[in-house]
Each structure stands twice: as C-alpha cells, then as structure tokens.
C-alpha cells in the first residue's frame, strides 16, 4: 500500500507545484489572449510536470508505466489551448517511447486521445462560467476511452489497480481545475487592489487640483459680473453672460467630479435592471444613430438589483458612449444578461469596435488616460468608482480590432 501512496503523493506534488510556478511566471487569467511566448512557457512547464510524473510511476506491471502524466496534459490543453497541449503530448510520447517496452505505443495512443478530447472541449471550457461541468464531461469521456484501451490491450492488470489508479487520477484532475480557478480569481482581486492603490493616489491628486481650480474660477466669475454690470463697453456687455455660463459649466464639472471622488455612503434602491437599461438606451439611441451604431438589448427576464439609479445610469452611459466612440463606421452594441446566480447578476455590454491591446486594457480606468483628442479620461474611472460603491464589480475584456465586452456585476435585491 505504502509503495503505491508514495508515488501518488509525489505525482500530485509535482503537478501542483509546477502549476504554481506557471502562475508565478504568467499569472493565470480567464480573459487572456495567450501570446505565443506564454503558450510555449505553459507547454514547457506542463511537459516538465508530465515527465517528472513518469520518473515516479505509480504502477509498473510488466513493461507498463502508470502515472498522472495526462493530468497536466489535459489541464493545459483545456486552459491554454492546442499549442501547449501539443508540446506536452509530444514530450510525453517521446518520453514514453524512450522508456520503451512492448506497450509504449499504448501510452502514446492514450496521450493522443487525451489531447484530442481536451482540445475538443477547450472552447466550451473557456466559455463556461462553471468550469467543473465541461471538465467533468471531458474527464469522463477520457475515462471511457482509457478503460476501453487498457481493457483491450492490457488485460492482465489486476482489478485493484483500477481503483488505485483512477481514483487518485480524477481527484488530482479536479483538484487542478479548482486550484486554477481559484488562482484566476485571486489574480483578478490582486489586479483590482493594485488598481485601487494607483487610483487613490492619482484620484486624490486630481481632486486637490480640481479644488484648487475652483477658487480662481469663482474669483473670475465675480469680477466678470462686476465689470459687466458697470461698463459702457458693448462687447463686454454682450459676451459677459456667455463667459459666465461657461465658467458655471466648468464649475459644475468640477463639483460633480469632487462629489464622485469624495468617499461616502450612498443610498441603494431596488431597481428593475431591464427598465433601467432600456431607459438609458433610449437616451443614447440618437447619439448611436448619428454614429451609425445600433444599440440592442437582449434582456428578456426582469431582475431586481441593488443599485443607485442615477449612478447606475451614469455608468451605463459612460460605457455605451465609449462603445459608440470605439466603432468606426457601422457597428452594433449588444447588452445582455451574461450570468446570474442567487446573489448577483452580470450584465454585459459588447461592442464590435476597435478593441484594446493588453497594455491599453491595463490603463483603462486610470484618471486622465484617454486616446481621444477630445476625451477627458475620467469616464471609466468614475464608472469603476460608482460600480464599486454600489457593491458591484466592473470588468473589461477586449480583443484588438475585434471589440470590447464590459461586464457589470451587481448584487441582486430580494
Ligand atoms: P474617454 O472616453 O474620455 O477617453 P474613458 O475613461 O471613458 O475616457 O476611456 C479611456 C480610454 O479607454 C478611451 O480613450 C479609449 O481609448 C479606451 N476605451 C474605453 N472604452 C473602450 C471601448 N469600448 N473600446 C475601445 N477602447 C475603449
Ligand atoms: Mg469615455
């Protein structure tokens, strides 16, 4: 018994520690377009995990070798795609052929089947919200094939072996799926903390500058009023009200901004998500039409969310406007409910505009970050702030030249 537990523990530790190493090199994310370099690194690290597993086999009947090498193979293919999967499968096959024996080809066959099944499910896997479902199906399918193959070609295996091998195999496999999901979530939270850290310094600076500007503006306004009331200069009399209006407008922008940056609690109400979205879209339809952009909602069910109506609408306006501005020529913005559970609901706003690179995506939400000549670079920062104040989460996913999807997650109100 002990001589089977030891290699199992070694196999599991190897796989888990290489997954942690991979996460340190390139933190796992679910919205990542993996660059070739990342794919190669993930392929390499999973190959190392698999090869080391083969060095510590769980069972060796006659010339067979049983270990958990297909776990890193399936997991890397599901999460990172065919390139790292193929690298890992290739390395495993070479390793198995190198060990040799009359059953080496069975090992290669199983490796290829694992790769194909995992690749077949990698798409639905990356799109799924609950990863364990496709993971379960892919794992089960692989199990069936595996069983069939060893039953046909390796019929000398004792019955206890099936339990001793497959139970640790599936436990490790699910452990990996859960572990990687956790790591992805931790990375998102970490990103957000870093972002908020940057924001608080920059946001405070911006707030103090805004405050400093307001004082001279008030003085200018007062002087202007005084001069225009007491002058015979026709030009001055004519244009002073215009100037005062503009000053008032500037003042209002600053005041609005300051109230946003100011921390403090807001009253949250119970809102019908669908109605709020439809109201906001109606406001923006003319702007959309002017830019040749269609705005469509695909919300069919009503959800009650906990939010501040004015703030929520402001967020939607900021996001949809950015979408409209990102579209060159004809385009469409789709708004739909992406997922829902008993606590929260996620709304996605998807445009087919110019999209953003990873670097651009990292900067979005920082004060004054803008790529537009007339942009303020404040919209997304305010949106982040407002959604957060409502207890929600804002996320951006984007593919350069394809489009952007913004997801707002808000708590449900019973
Ligand atoms: P502004 O709209 O004034 O530029 P924002 O904070 O709203 O400021 O946006 C910051 C930047 O993020 C924009 O200038 C743009 O480059 C980028 N951005 C925001 N939303 C999108 C989108 N839907 N598609 C592409 N780029 C976007
Ligand atoms: Mg904007």
């Amino acid at each position: 018994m002990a001589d089977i537990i030891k290699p199992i523990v070694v196999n599991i530790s190897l796989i888990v520690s290489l997954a942690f190493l991979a996460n340190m090199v390139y933190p796992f994310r679910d919205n990542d377009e993996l660059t070739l370099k990342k794919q190669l690194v993930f392929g390499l690290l999973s190959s190392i995990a698999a090869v080391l597993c083969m060095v510590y086999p769980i069972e060796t009947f006659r010339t067979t070798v049983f270990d958990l090498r297909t776990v890193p193979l399936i997991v890397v293919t599901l999460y990172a795609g065919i390139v790292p999967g193929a690298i890992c499968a290739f390395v495993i096959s070479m390793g198995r052929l190198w060990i040799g024996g009359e059953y080496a080809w069975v090992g290669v066959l199983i490796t290829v089947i694992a790769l194909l099944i995992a690749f077949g499910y990698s798409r639905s896997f990356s799109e799924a919200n609950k990863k364990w479902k496709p993971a379960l199906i892919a794992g089960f399918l692989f199990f069936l094939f595996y069983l069939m193959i060893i039953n046909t070609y390796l019929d000398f295996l004792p019955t206890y072996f099936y339990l001793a091998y497959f139970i640790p195999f599936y436990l490790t496999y699910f452990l990996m799926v859960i572990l990687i999901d956790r790591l992805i979530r931790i990375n998102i939270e970490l990103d957000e903390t870093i972002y908020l850290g940057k924001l608080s310094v920059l946001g405070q600076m911006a707030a103090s500058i805004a405050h400093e500007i307001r004082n001279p503006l008030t003085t200018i306004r007062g002087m202007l009023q005084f001069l225009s009331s007491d002058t015979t200069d026709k030009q001055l009399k004519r244009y002073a009200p215009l100037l005062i209006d503009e000053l008032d407008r500037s003042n209002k922008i600053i005041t609005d901004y300051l109230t946003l940056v100011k921390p403090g609690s807001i009253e949250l109400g119970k809102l019908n998500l669908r109605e709020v979205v439809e109201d906001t879209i109606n406001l923006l339809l003319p702007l959309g039409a002017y830019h040749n952009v269609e705005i469509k909602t695909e919300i069919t069910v009503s959800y009650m969310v906990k939010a501040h109506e004015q703030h929520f609408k402001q967020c939607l306006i900021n996001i949809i406007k950015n979408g409209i501005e990102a579209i060159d020529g004809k385009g469409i913005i789709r708004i739909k409910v992406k997922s829902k559970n008993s606590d929260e609901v996620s709304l996605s706003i998807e445009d087919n505009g110019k999209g953003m690179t990873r670097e651009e995506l990292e900067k979005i939400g920082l004060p004054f970050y803008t790529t537009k000549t007339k942009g303020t670079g404040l919209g997304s920062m305010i949106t982040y702030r407002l959604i957060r104040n409502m207890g929600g989460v804002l996320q951006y996913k984007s593919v350069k030249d394809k489009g952007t999807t913004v997801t707002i997650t808000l708590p449900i109100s019973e």
Side-chain angles (χ1 to χ4, degrees), residues 45-56:
L45 291 174
S46 57
S47 304
I48 295 176
V51 167
L52 288 175
C53 283
M54 289 161 82
V55 177
Y56 297 94

Side-chain angles (χ1 to χ4, degrees), residues 47-332:
S47 304
I48 295 176
V51 167
L52 288 175
C53 283
M54 289 161 82
V55 177
Y56 297 94
I58 296 170
E59 279 292 1
T60 48
F61 295 104
R62 301 199 195 165
T63 58
T64 61
V65 184
F66 283 95
D67 50 61
L68 303 186
R69 73 185 96 125
T70 32
V71 174
L73 169 61
I74 298 178
V75 169
V76 82
T77 315
L78 284 177
Y79 277 101
I82 189 72
V83 175
I87 294 174
C88 187
F90 178 76
V91 173
I92 291 176
S93 304
M94 287 300 120
R96 186 63 192 88
L97 291 173
W98 183 74
I99 294 173
E102 55 181 314
Y103 301 113
W105 66 273
V106 180
V108 175
L109 179 66
I110 288 171
T111 308
V112 172
I113 288 177
L115 176 68
L116 292 180
I117 290 179
F119 178 57
Y121 278 92
S122 60
R123 176 159 281 268
S124 59
F125 190 74
S126 65
E127 282 165 4
N129 271 322
K130 294 195 171 68
K131 303 272 188 228
W132 61 266
K133 276 185 192 164
L136 191 78
I137 304 173
F140 186 68
L141 205 62
F142 176 61
F143 174 67
L144 288 184
F145 272 102
Y146 205 158
L147 218 57
M148 219 160 68
I149 291 168
I150 55 179
N151 240 321
T152 319
Y153 299 108
L154 315 173
D155 51 3
F156 49 84
L157 295 171
T159 325
Y160 87 86
F161 162 80
Y162 288 88
L163 290 178
Y165 179 65
F166 282 111
I167 292 177
F169 185 96
Y170 281 100
L171 287 182
T172 316
Y173 173 58
F174 278 106
L175 175 76
M176 290 311 292
V177 173
I178 293 167
L179 182 77
I180 292 175
D181 260 13
R182 262 307 314 142
L183 286 173
I184 290 175
R185 214 162 315 151
I186 290 171
N187 292 335
I188 292 176
E189 280 165 18
L190 208 64
D191 283 352
E192 203 174 318
T193 320
I194 294 171
Y195 166 73
L196 285 175
K198 281 192 217 164
L199 186 63
S200 63
V201 177
L202 282 164
Q204 276 161 14
M205 252 168 64
S208 64
I209 292 173
H211 188 73
E212 290 305 316
I213 291 175
R214 214 157 44 152
N215 292 336
L217 279 186
T218 319
T219 319
I220 295 171
R221 191 186 188 280
M223 295 303 275
L224 202 61
Q225 219 165 11
F226 170 71
L227 284 177
S228 61
S229 66
D230 193 28
T231 183
T232 47
D233 187 330
K234 277 213 182 85
Q235 293 258 9
L236 184 59
K237 257 209 149 40
R238 187 166 156 212
Y239 290 118
L242 210 77
L243 294 177
I244 290 174
D245 268 359
E246 287 298 296
L247 284 174
D248 285 346
R249 210 167 66 88
S250 313
N251 213 345
K252 184 171 179 319
I253 294 174
I254 295 172
T255 310
D256 283 353
Y257 172 68
L258 281 178
T259 41
L260 279 175
V261 195
K262 202 165 61 191
S265 58
I266 45 158
E267 286 283 310
L268 298 183
K270 188 170 169 178
L271 303 181
N272 184 326
L273 183 67
R274 185 167 141 195
E275 280 171 13
V276 175
V277 170
E278 275 166 7
D279 282 357
T280 316
I281 290 179
N282 285 337
L283 279 177
L284 289 170
L285 279 178
L287 183 74
Y290 179 75
H291 284 93
N292 234 331
V293 174
E294 195 183 343
I295 309 173
K296 253 177 134 169
T297 83
E298 293 166 17
I299 308 177
T300 42
V301 190
S302 288
Y303 296 107
M304 300 308 285
V305 292
K306 219 157 76 184
H308 183 284
E309 182 166 354
Q310 243 16 70
H311 287 186
F312 184 29
K313 280 187 177 163
Q314 186 63 53
C315 293
L316 288 171
I317 291 174
N318 290 353
I319 294 168
I320 298 172
K321 262 192 172 162
N322 276 345
I324 295 175
E325 285 159 358
I327 292 171
D328 210 10
K330 210 168 148 57
I332 184 161

Side-chain angles (χ1 to χ4, degrees), residues 317-319 321-323 325 369-370 372 375-380 383:
I317 291 174
N318 290 353
I319 294 168
K321 262 192 172 162
N322 276 345
E325 285 159 358
Y369 168 67
T370 180
K372 301 165 192 168
T376 61
L378 289 175
S380 302
T383 313

